Amino acid sequence: MILSEEISLLKSFTHYFLHLVFPVFIALIFFRKNWKKAYLIMLATMLVDLDHLFANPVFDPSRNSIGFHFLHSYYAIGIYFLMLFFKGNIRIIAVGLLFHMFTDFQDFSLWQH
């Protein structure tokens, strides 16, 4: 029981670290000149989770967001990928959205216990 609780805590920590802290490193590495702006834009891409409000229940820990919610669909991810080929803020948004999708993917796929 304790091991399961520890894994759940580590899973939550990893999820929120990847959503809130790791984008700082992405911004510093890929958008050094305007890293603060890039970081804030990437944080703003978390608004993509508003599509969870259309699900019932809104949060289900046993549900994979990828492929379930419309802004987490494979079509949407394809659009986010195409956005990488634009310059400026569009590219930053694309990076933020794609990293968000990676975070949600790893949250469901790599932490099954």
Side-chain angles (χ1 to χ4, degrees), residues 7 11 22 25 28 33-34 37 41 52 56-57 69-73 79-81 83 88-90 96 98-99 102 113:
I7 290 172
K11 176 183 174 182
F22 197 80
F25 300 110
L28 286 169
K33 188 175 180 182
N34 296 311
K37 174 184 166 186
I41 289 172
H52 291 246
N56 187 15
H69 304 291
F70 62 93
L71 294 176
H72 290 68
S73 70
I79 292 169
Y80 306 154
F81 178 78
M83 290 168 57
N89 293 343
I90 301 295
L98 289 170
F99 192 73
F102 165 76
H113 60 277

Side-chain angles (χ1 to χ4, degrees), residues 50-91:
L50 287 174
D51 64 356
H52 291 246
L53 296 175
F54 295 96
N56 187 15
V58 172
F59 176 71
D60 180 357
S62 65
R63 180 174 62 214
N64 187 356
S65 295
I66 305 301
F68 183 82
H69 304 291
F70 62 93
L71 294 176
H72 290 68
S73 70
Y74 295 107
Y75 296 112
I77 293 169
I79 292 169
Y80 306 154
F81 178 78
L82 291 175
M83 290 168 57
L84 288 172
F85 296 97
F86 290 83
K87 293 184 180 193
N89 293 343
I90 301 295
R91 183 174 290 161

